[in-house]
Amino acid sequence: MCGIVGYIGTEQAAPILLKGLSKLEYRGYDSAGIAIREGEGEPQLVKAKGRLKILIEKTDNGAAVCGTCGIGHTRWATHGEPSEQNAHPHCTEDRSVVLVHNGIIENYQELKEKLLRSGYTFYSQTDTEVAVKLIDYYYKKTGTPLEAISRAMLRIRGSYAFGVMFREYPGTIFAARKDSPLIVGRNETGCLIASDVPAILDSTRNVYYIGNLEIAELTRDEIHFYNIDREEIEKEMVEIKWDAEAAEKGGFEHFMLKEIHEQPKAVQDTINAYVKDGEICFAGTGCVMTGRPEASSIGAGSIQAAGTEAGGPETASAKGSGAKEEGMQADAVQAGKENAAGAEDGLTDERLAAIKRIYIVACGSAYHVGVAGKYVIEELSGIPVEVDLASEFRYRNPRLEKDSIVIIISQSGETADSLAALRLAKERGIPVLGIVNVVGSSIARESDYILYTYAGPEISVATTKAYSTQLAAVYLLAIQCAWVRNEISRERYKELLTELNTLPGKIQRILDDKERIQWFASKYANARDIFFIGRGIDYAISLEGSLKMKEISYIHSEAYAAGELKHGTISLIEDGTLVVGVLTQKALFEKTISNMVEVKSRGAYLMGLTSYGNYNIEDTADFSVYVPRTEEYFATSLAIISLQLMGYYVSVAKGLDVDKPRNLAKSVTVE
């Protein structure tokens, strides 16, 4: 949520900022603004409520605002309604300090009262105006931007990424961060800052990741980095490997549809990264499984320790065709090496075998991966699994067992609630495994172990391919845990891996037959309520299917464990209410059919989603959708494709903005 772009160099800044902000529209926003400065002149601020195109028109695509130094912002409202007054950038009354901010300042009211007592006044309802005036307060005391920013950082509680300009430093942009993502880039004409890689990919592939409580100082020709104590520090440059076309629509009407179609490759790339010669090897190439842990002096492999290069001396590009995608550059993991102390050998099979309990903590779709993962890990490996919403995890004061592990799942690696849960686990001495898609992200750097997914850049707010690659990663972990704990035979191990490798082709089969779902979705574009029901893994599928429907179609949609219908939910069923029954688990098929009959007798219209061969579902369902047969543990990966397509086509039929659903943001960096 919120997007930041900044530029200082020899080119006109406004067109660069506007183009960069357009690449960050997927993050979600309700207003936008830029501040441009030419030499020692007064900064020009231009803001607009609504879509970025309004700001583009207002500035004649940037041509009306001249200057080679500037910062820009797209705002997702937290404090104060969407308006030009509340839009960023914010500034002091004399425009001596101008600032853009991504994040949330938790103690802004306390700081505001202090500033009011010091003679400051406020024109907006935002917490960001407090930040810019707090920096100004310390600047007047210290006389140096670096000390002013660092002292303000020590007073602010919450999360932030700042881009700051000072009137008395006309050729300089300062940047600072805590928890909210921020990168610095460099090209032949100048230097840039941004919230995410796509914003500056057209300008440069050479970036630096700013760490927590660090400050960057950018001029046209130089970049300097400092810690919170204002001591200069060195950073290694990272080259972004993935193609710029990966962040473009590629002929598809929407990013979401493109990303749905990219799932076969993304899933295959994730599997290829960790399966070598028929063996799961989280340690990289050259790992040979010769037996269970007790039979071998060397474990069968390890998830890479955070901050270490997966695959030893081999480069990430050798791990599969997805290694060229975002987040897979081995050089970038250097940023987290300090977090790997004590875990240099990774999460070995011996350590996997010793795990007594797993806690999966995540938000949104990643949480739904965890719900599916609970069923798969428990049934295959016998390890008890608890699944928590990250936003609730630390507030219930969790009792974490010794010899357990916390798994944090996040697409961006910057999700605020998940990051807070990670830090709580580490405070209590419990190791953390991060499953993320972005190298250099906060969760990647702070986890003890990291398992990267190979989804590449995901632009649409509604996740599809990131979800599918997270599932693939969880399957691999479940299979390996089952093997090292003697829960499955060698034959069963090979059988599961063989079937796992068929998933990309089976996903493609569903995509090749999507027109039938498109036709059905158009019939229900005007639905008021839709319910998804299932049992076991099918309930986990229902949760994600329902979320896809509600977040992009704005239809009220809920998922229920099918056996719970009779405990109140069935009262919501009216004539014509669409109920989607998910039935991929053989042992639960008849029970879910019974629940579908119950709602049909009360007027519901039934859609059944099951595997090929279960044609008797047509005796109950009014409309049936079939997916290829697979191991029941992996059914989520296939069934969800049909539900993603259904949500997408309902949204299209309603004429909605599929990629930018209202009120939502791609990367949720506030709690």
Side-chain angles (χ1 to χ4, degrees), residues 282-305:
F282 295 126
T285 59
C287 173
V288 178
M289 182 177 291
T290 57
R292 301 185 193 277
E294 67 272 18
S296 174
S297 60
I298 300 177
S302 60
I303 296 174
Q304 92 184 67

Side-chain angles (χ1 to χ4, degrees), residues 189-424:
T189 71
C191 298
L192 308 99
I193 62 171
S195 299
D196 204 353
V197 170
I200 59 175
L201 193 58
D202 287 340
S203 299
T204 183
R205 293 180 177 274
N206 301 317
V207 303
Y208 301 87
Y209 289 90
I210 303 179
N212 244 13
L213 295 176
E214 291 180 355
I215 305 168
E217 180 181 1
L218 292 74
T219 63
R220 186 184 72 177
D221 302 313
E222 296 181 349
I223 305 172
H224 297 277
F225 298 96
Y226 306 89
N227 62 23
I228 192 69
D229 296 317
R230 303 184 300 284
E231 299 166 334
E232 188 160 4
I233 56 177
E234 296 293 325
K235 281 194 170 293
E236 293 200 17
M237 185 182 70
V238 177
E239 182 183 359
I240 302 301
K241 302 288 188 182
W242 48 270
D243 197 319
E245 291 181 6
E248 302 297 338
K249 291 181 183 176
F252 287 90
E253 185 178 358
H254 298 99
F255 279 112
M256 184 178 179
L257 186 60
K258 173 179 178 278
E259 289 159 8
I260 288 173
H261 280 264
E262 288 175 340
Q263 286 176 111
K265 180 181 184 299
V267 171
Q268 189 67 69
D269 288 346
T270 300
I271 295 169
N272 287 349
Y274 302 107
V275 178
K276 310 296 179 186
D277 300 321
E279 313 284 356
I280 298 172
C281 182
F282 295 126
T285 59
C287 173
V288 178
M289 182 177 291
T290 57
R292 301 185 193 277
E294 67 272 18
S296 174
S297 60
I298 300 177
S302 60
I303 296 174
Q304 92 184 67
T308 61
E309 182 177 331
E314 183 171 282
T315 62
S317 61
K319 295 182 181 179
S321 58
K324 295 180 181 179
E325 300 295 314
E326 177 190 16
M328 292 298 105
Q329 300 83 28
D331 289 343
V333 258
Q334 180 71 25
K337 281 190 175 178
E338 64 273 13
N339 298 309
E344 291 83 357
D345 54 345
L347 190 57
T348 63
D349 283 355
E350 287 80 5
R351 288 176 180 174
L352 287 175
I355 293 173
K356 293 183 178 177
R357 185 172 293 271
I358 292 173
Y359 305 90
I360 300 177
V361 185
C363 302
S365 292
Y367 170 77
H368 299 158
V369 170
V371 176
K374 172 181 171 68
Y375 291 109
V376 178
I377 294 171
E378 285 188 341
E379 288 197 31
L380 274 176
S381 72
I383 301 174
V385 179
E386 293 183 25
V387 187
D388 270 276
L389 289 163
S391 57
E392 291 293 322
F393 180 70
R394 63 176 173 153
Y395 299 115
R396 71 173 178 86
N397 193 19
R399 299 297 191 257
L400 306 178
E401 291 187 14
K402 185 181 178 183
D403 297 323
S404 62
I405 190 168
V406 172
I407 299 177
I408 304 289
I409 306 176
S410 168
Q411 185 277 137
S412 67
E414 301 290 350
T415 311
D417 288 313
S418 298
L419 193 54
L422 179 156
R423 290 168 179 164
L424 174 63

Side-chain angles (χ1 to χ4, degrees), residues 320-558:
S321 58
K324 295 180 181 179
E325 300 295 314
E326 177 190 16
M328 292 298 105
Q329 300 83 28
D331 289 343
V333 258
Q334 180 71 25
K337 281 190 175 178
E338 64 273 13
N339 298 309
E344 291 83 357
D345 54 345
L347 190 57
T348 63
D349 283 355
E350 287 80 5
R351 288 176 180 174
L352 287 175
I355 293 173
K356 293 183 178 177
R357 185 172 293 271
I358 292 173
Y359 305 90
I360 300 177
V361 185
C363 302
S365 292
Y367 170 77
H368 299 158
V369 170
V371 176
K374 172 181 171 68
Y375 291 109
V376 178
I377 294 171
E378 285 188 341
E379 288 197 31
L380 274 176
S381 72
I383 301 174
V385 179
E386 293 183 25
V387 187
D388 270 276
L389 289 163
S391 57
E392 291 293 322
F393 180 70
R394 63 176 173 153
Y395 299 115
R396 71 173 178 86
N397 193 19
R399 299 297 191 257
L400 306 178
E401 291 187 14
K402 185 181 178 183
D403 297 323
S404 62
I405 190 168
V406 172
I407 299 177
I408 304 289
I409 306 176
S410 168
Q411 185 277 137
S412 67
E414 301 290 350
T415 311
D417 288 313
S418 298
L419 193 54
L422 179 156
R423 290 168 179 164
L424 174 63
K426 295 194 72 171
E427 284 172 11
R428 299 193 176 183
I430 305 300
V432 174
L433 164 64
I435 298 179
V436 301
N437 193 49
V438 182
V439 168
S441 60
S442 296
I443 291 173
R445 288 195 308 272
E446 296 188 32
S447 295
D448 298 287
Y449 311 100
I450 188 70
L451 182 55
Y452 287 112
T453 55
Y454 285 65
E458 188 176 66
I459 306 301
S460 179
V461 168
T463 184
T464 52
K465 62 176 180 172
Y467 172 87
S468 290
T469 55
Q470 290 164 357
L471 279 174
V474 169
Y475 296 155
L476 289 165
L477 186 63
I479 294 168
Q480 193 69 0
C481 284
W483 163 251
V484 301
R485 292 168 61 86
N486 300 304
E487 294 289 338
I488 57 175
S489 67
R490 183 67 173 168
E491 181 182 3
R492 181 62 171 150
Y493 178 87
K494 291 291 188 183
E495 192 177 83
L496 288 167
L497 283 184
T498 298
E499 185 57 32
L500 194 62
N501 272 297
T502 70
L503 290 181
K506 291 176 177 178
I507 292 172
Q508 188 61 53
R509 284 178 59 190
I510 299 169
L511 295 173
D512 291 341
D513 192 31
K514 61 182 180 294
E515 285 74 17
R516 193 160 179 269
I517 295 175
Q518 182 179 8
W519 169 82
F520 182 72
S522 66
K523 290 183 59 178
Y524 273 86
N526 295 319
R528 189 178 68 181
D529 303 288
I530 300 178
F531 298 99
F532 294 74
I533 62 173
R535 291 172 179 259
I537 288 176
D538 291 334
Y539 171 54
I541 297 168
S542 297
L543 286 169
E544 178 62 11
S546 175
L547 179 60
K548 284 291 147 297
M549 180 62 69
K550 74 178 70 170
E551 67 184 344
I552 60 173
S553 76
Y554 314 150
I555 294 173
H556 170 245
S557 171
E558 300 295 341

Side-chain angles (χ1 to χ4, degrees), residues 579-590:
V579 176
V580 180
V582 184
L583 310 94
T584 68
Q585 308 296 296
K586 184 177 180 180
L588 299 171
F589 187 90
E590 290 184 355

